Amino acid sequence: MDKIATIKKDFPIFARHPNLTYLDSAATSLKPLSVVNKIQEYYQEYSANIHRGIYQISEKATQEYEETRQVVTSFINAESEKEIVYTRSATEGLNLVATSLGSSIVGAGDEIVITIMEHHSNFVPWQQLAKKAQAKLKIIGVTPEGYLDLELDNIKYTNHISKIVNNKTKILAITYVSNVLGTINPIKEIIAQAKKINPKIIVVVDGAQAVPHMPVDVQDLGADFLVFSGHKMLGPTGIGILWGKQELFEKMPPYQYGGDMIKEVAIENTIYQDAPWKFEAGTPHIAGVIGLKEAIRYLQKIGMHKIHKREQKLLADALKRLQEEFGDNITVLGPQKSQDRAGVMAFRLADFHPHDIAQILDESHIAIRAGHHCAMPLHTYLKFSASARASFYIYNNDADIEKLITGLKKAEKTLTK
Amino acid sequence: MTIYQEIILDHYRSPRNFGILKKPSRQVAVANPLCGDKLEFTVKEEKGVVKKIAFQGEGCAISIAAASLTTEHALGKSKEKLQNLDKNLILKLLGINLSPNRVKCALLAWEGLKKVVSD
Ligand SMILES: Cc1ncc(COP(=O)(O)O)c(C=O)c1O
């Protein structure tokens, strides 16, 4: 039987809330029972600290914890487990790179390039680094259709990439998928052409909205760093991954200091562990790391390619149905071609305030998000103060789209003046 | 229960005292950047009493209705009394129980009123 058809059964929250229509997976995903069980297994069966214990349950915990590195390595096709750093979140991964690498390679007069569609977590660390280093922060805009305003050799927009990236560009930090517009950026082409202009440029990819929803192969992309969060991909909160090239990790100073990241400490000096452990100071989120492995296995069982295709189909259905029902009254932000985007759908309905829309949907147990979605610069750029956002994941289906439409009709009826 | 009760929808659809007064005694703007809500208040006072008050701006139904009700309440009252206005009164005027997330929508008008009648 098709696993996807019965998927809701794997998510205990639907047993507890049978009427729940969950359309906020871009904020955080729901958790399957297998992940919840795996976390419980650690706390009930081998809840010991890792790495230092000379006893069985600590060895078991260490083995489970380190095994996640192998699972992540093959999930994103990294070259080795040494390229996988456990962080608290995508946000912490970005801060780690900006602080540890950024402050050692960016100086006065240098340039950092980001885009206007970044989440605050891939915006503010670079803005602050640029300020501190007296470097220039350059921002790639978006076109009215919701694509990056960037002309590549094979894609035509107004700004050619050679006008943005130059020899002074030290870092290019860019999201793979926009958490508002849904746009899937042509990351591989951007990286290839940026590196052609400046082979020394460091490219940091925010994979928070990409890795949970589509196949991502870091070697194929040609990036230097990729970050993502476990909680958006069926895993626990408080655990994220920073993937980076080993030769870069080796040169980078630690981000935090403390236990577990050292080889030897003397009164005057300390010798650090090698990467990735050099970046993992203190007792980590052991249950989170172990739970993340189970989440990845769950996704792999379905297959990332299948997940991506199914979400795009759902998105295409949603775009079509919303258009049929609301016509010009609804504006879905971002590309209108579903193949260019992921299952994140921010929209405006008439001139209704997104908070009112979300609140009225909640009366029918439909969960969406309203606000600026941690992308204030993008909303300012689009001249919207806020938007409503519905987002899909593996447990959503066409019935959820119909419920959304019924809820929006109710909102329209209530809020029309 | 829906928070979109008749009284709220009425004040949202046809807000009272909506607009801006010419030659006001005082004019203030308040904003809630997290929601993008913005309200502007103008007041005309005589001998410490609010003779005319108006507001304009954009916001959700709750913040517009709260501003409308608040200005209605303020008309004819002394500045001194309004300066000490209890925020629970605004919530009472709305006549609904708001979740903590939406209380701040209702209290933007309260903040605006306190500022526009300050000395
Ligand atoms: C594109 C993007 N980047 C980064 C993040 C930050 O993720 P986290 O809060 O898990 O660190 C998010 C989450 O909302 C996101 O959507």
Short mmCIF file of all heavy atoms in Angstrom, two decimals, chain A residues 77-106:
data_model
loop_
_atom_site.label_atom_id
_atom_site.label_comp_id
_atom_site.label_asym_id
_atom_site.label_seq_id
_atom_site.Cartn_x
_atom_site.Cartn_y
_atom_site.Cartn_z
N ASN A 77 24.42 13.64 1.22
CA ASN A 77 25.58 13.26 0.43
C ASN A 77 26.83 14.08 0.76
O ASN A 77 27.51 14.60 -0.14
CB ASN A 77 25.28 13.32 -1.07
CG ASN A 77 26.35 12.62 -1.89
OD1 ASN A 77 26.97 11.65 -1.42
ND2 ASN A 77 26.61 13.11 -3.09
N ALA A 78 27.14 14.18 2.05
CA ALA A 78 28.41 14.81 2.45
C ALA A 78 29.54 13.83 2.18
O ALA A 78 29.30 12.65 1.95
CB ALA A 78 28.35 15.18 3.92
N GLU A 79 30.78 14.32 2.23
CA GLU A 79 31.91 13.43 1.96
C GLU A 79 32.25 12.58 3.16
O GLU A 79 32.69 11.44 3.01
CB GLU A 79 33.14 14.24 1.56
CG GLU A 79 33.25 14.39 0.06
CD GLU A 79 34.53 15.07 -0.34
OE1 GLU A 79 35.56 14.91 0.37
OE2 GLU A 79 34.51 15.78 -1.36
N SER A 80 32.08 13.16 4.35
CA SER A 80 32.41 12.38 5.54
C SER A 80 31.65 12.90 6.75
O SER A 80 31.14 14.02 6.76
CB SER A 80 33.93 12.43 5.79
OG SER A 80 34.22 13.12 6.97
N GLU A 81 31.58 12.06 7.77
CA GLU A 81 30.90 12.44 9.02
C GLU A 81 31.56 13.65 9.68
O GLU A 81 30.95 14.33 10.49
CB GLU A 81 30.96 11.29 10.03
CG GLU A 81 30.05 10.15 9.71
CD GLU A 81 30.84 8.92 9.28
OE1 GLU A 81 31.33 8.20 10.16
OE2 GLU A 81 30.95 8.71 8.05
N LYS A 82 32.84 13.85 9.34
CA LYS A 82 33.54 14.99 9.96
C LYS A 82 33.03 16.33 9.46
O LYS A 82 33.43 17.37 9.96
CB LYS A 82 35.04 14.86 9.70
CG LYS A 82 35.60 13.64 10.38
CD LYS A 82 37.10 13.68 10.44
CE LYS A 82 37.60 12.55 11.31
NZ LYS A 82 38.92 12.11 10.92
N GLU A 83 32.18 16.27 8.47
CA GLU A 83 31.62 17.52 7.94
C GLU A 83 30.28 17.88 8.58
O GLU A 83 29.65 18.84 8.20
CB GLU A 83 31.42 17.41 6.42
CG GLU A 83 32.72 17.17 5.68
CD GLU A 83 32.54 17.12 4.18
OE1 GLU A 83 31.42 16.83 3.69
OE2 GLU A 83 33.53 17.36 3.48
N ILE A 84 29.85 17.06 9.54
CA ILE A 84 28.52 17.24 10.14
C ILE A 84 28.66 17.74 11.58
O ILE A 84 29.12 17.00 12.46
CB ILE A 84 27.74 15.91 10.16
CG1 ILE A 84 27.72 15.25 8.77
CG2 ILE A 84 26.33 16.10 10.73
CD1 ILE A 84 27.04 16.06 7.69
N VAL A 85 28.26 18.99 11.81
CA VAL A 85 28.29 19.55 13.16
C VAL A 85 26.87 19.63 13.69
O VAL A 85 25.97 20.12 13.01
CB VAL A 85 28.91 20.98 13.16
CG1 VAL A 85 28.79 21.63 14.54
CG2 VAL A 85 30.37 20.92 12.71
N TYR A 86 26.67 19.15 14.92
CA TYR A 86 25.37 19.29 15.56
C TYR A 86 25.27 20.69 16.16
O TYR A 86 26.17 21.11 16.89
CB TYR A 86 25.20 18.28 16.70
CG TYR A 86 25.27 16.82 16.28
CD1 TYR A 86 25.92 15.89 17.07
CD2 TYR A 86 24.65 16.38 15.11
CE1 TYR A 86 25.96 14.55 16.72
CE2 TYR A 86 24.69 15.04 14.76
CZ TYR A 86 25.36 14.12 15.56
OH TYR A 86 25.41 12.80 15.22
N THR A 87 24.17 21.37 15.84
CA THR A 87 23.94 22.69 16.41
C THR A 87 22.58 22.66 17.10
O THR A 87 21.91 21.63 17.12
CB THR A 87 23.88 23.77 15.32
OG1 THR A 87 22.81 23.46 14.41
CG2 THR A 87 25.19 23.82 14.54
N ARG A 88 22.19 23.82 17.60
CA ARG A 88 20.88 23.94 18.23
C ARG A 88 19.80 24.08 17.16
O ARG A 88 18.67 23.67 17.34
CB ARG A 88 20.90 25.18 19.13
CG ARG A 88 19.84 25.33 20.14
CD ARG A 88 20.31 26.30 21.23
NE ARG A 88 20.74 27.58 20.69
CZ ARG A 88 19.91 28.56 20.30
NH1 ARG A 88 18.62 28.39 20.38
NH2 ARG A 88 20.39 29.70 19.85
N SER A 89 20.17 24.69 16.03
CA SER A 89 19.17 25.03 15.01
C SER A 89 19.89 25.56 13.78
O SER A 89 21.10 25.80 13.80
CB SER A 89 18.26 26.14 15.53
OG SER A 89 19.06 27.25 15.91
N ALA A 90 19.12 25.80 12.73
CA ALA A 90 19.67 26.47 11.54
C ALA A 90 20.26 27.81 11.97
O ALA A 90 21.36 28.19 11.55
CB ALA A 90 18.57 26.68 10.50
N THR A 91 19.53 28.51 12.82
CA THR A 91 19.98 29.81 13.30
C THR A 91 21.36 29.73 13.93
O THR A 91 22.24 30.54 13.64
CB THR A 91 18.98 30.36 14.34
OG1 THR A 91 17.70 30.44 13.73
CG2 THR A 91 19.40 31.72 14.87
N GLU A 92 21.57 28.73 14.79
CA GLU A 92 22.86 28.64 15.44
C GLU A 92 23.96 28.30 14.43
O GLU A 92 25.08 28.81 14.52
CB GLU A 92 22.87 27.61 16.57
CG GLU A 92 24.13 27.74 17.40
CD GLU A 92 24.21 26.76 18.55
OE1 GLU A 92 24.01 25.54 18.33
OE2 GLU A 92 24.48 27.21 19.67
N GLY A 93 23.64 27.48 13.44
CA GLY A 93 24.62 27.15 12.40
C GLY A 93 25.09 28.40 11.67
O GLY A 93 26.28 28.58 11.41
N LEU A 94 24.13 29.27 11.34
CA LEU A 94 24.48 30.50 10.63
C LEU A 94 25.32 31.42 11.50
O LEU A 94 26.30 32.02 11.05
CB LEU A 94 23.20 31.20 10.16
CG LEU A 94 22.43 30.42 9.08
CD1 LEU A 94 21.00 30.92 8.94
CD2 LEU A 94 23.16 30.49 7.74
N ASN A 95 24.93 31.52 12.77
CA ASN A 95 25.72 32.34 13.69
C ASN A 95 27.12 31.79 13.88
O ASN A 95 28.08 32.54 14.01
CB ASN A 95 25.01 32.47 15.04
CG ASN A 95 23.95 33.55 15.01
OD1 ASN A 95 24.25 34.73 15.12
ND2 ASN A 95 22.71 33.16 14.81
N LEU A 96 27.22 30.46 13.90
CA LEU A 96 28.53 29.84 14.06
C LEU A 96 29.45 30.23 12.90
O LEU A 96 30.58 30.66 13.10
CB LEU A 96 28.37 28.31 14.15
CG LEU A 96 29.57 27.48 14.60
CD1 LEU A 96 29.10 26.11 15.09
CD2 LEU A 96 30.64 27.30 13.54
N VAL A 97 28.93 30.12 11.69
CA VAL A 97 29.76 30.44 10.52
C VAL A 97 30.08 31.94 10.49
O VAL A 97 31.23 32.33 10.26
CB VAL A 97 29.07 30.01 9.20
CG1 VAL A 97 29.92 30.41 8.00
CG2 VAL A 97 28.84 28.50 9.19
N ALA A 98 29.08 32.77 10.77
CA ALA A 98 29.31 34.22 10.73
C ALA A 98 30.34 34.63 11.78
O ALA A 98 31.20 35.47 11.54
CB ALA A 98 28.01 34.98 10.95
N THR A 99 30.27 34.02 12.95
CA THR A 99 31.17 34.41 14.04
C THR A 99 32.56 33.81 13.85
O THR A 99 33.57 34.52 13.86
CB THR A 99 30.61 33.94 15.40
OG1 THR A 99 29.29 34.44 15.51
CG2 THR A 99 31.46 34.44 16.54
N SER A 100 32.60 32.49 13.64
CA SER A 100 33.89 31.81 13.62
C SER A 100 34.67 32.09 12.33
O SER A 100 35.81 32.54 12.36
CB SER A 100 33.66 30.31 13.81
OG SER A 100 34.84 29.60 13.49
N LEU A 101 34.02 31.86 11.19
CA LEU A 101 34.72 32.07 9.92
C LEU A 101 34.61 33.53 9.50
O LEU A 101 35.61 34.17 9.15
CB LEU A 101 34.11 31.19 8.82
CG LEU A 101 34.79 31.34 7.46
CD1 LEU A 101 36.08 30.55 7.41
CD2 LEU A 101 33.86 30.92 6.32
N GLY A 102 33.39 34.06 9.58
CA GLY A 102 33.13 35.42 9.10
C GLY A 102 34.09 36.44 9.68
O GLY A 102 34.72 37.20 8.95
N SER A 103 34.23 36.42 11.01
CA SER A 103 35.04 37.49 11.59
C SER A 103 36.53 37.29 11.31
O SER A 103 37.30 38.22 11.48
CB SER A 103 34.75 37.66 13.08
OG SER A 103 34.65 36.42 13.69
N SER A 104 36.94 36.09 10.87
CA SER A 104 38.36 35.96 10.54
C SER A 104 38.67 36.22 9.06
O SER A 104 39.82 36.45 8.71
CB SER A 104 38.93 34.60 11.00
OG SER A 104 38.15 33.55 10.49
N ILE A 105 37.64 36.21 8.19
CA ILE A 105 37.97 36.47 6.78
C ILE A 105 37.41 37.78 6.22
O ILE A 105 37.82 38.22 5.15
CB ILE A 105 37.53 35.31 5.84
CG1 ILE A 105 36.00 35.15 5.83
CG2 ILE A 105 38.23 34.00 6.20
CD1 ILE A 105 35.50 34.25 4.70
N VAL A 106 36.47 38.40 6.93
CA VAL A 106 35.88 39.64 6.39
C VAL A 106 36.53 40.84 7.06
O VAL A 106 36.58 40.93 8.28
CB VAL A 106 34.35 39.67 6.64
CG1 VAL A 106 33.75 40.96 6.09
CG2 VAL A 106 33.68 38.46 6.00
#
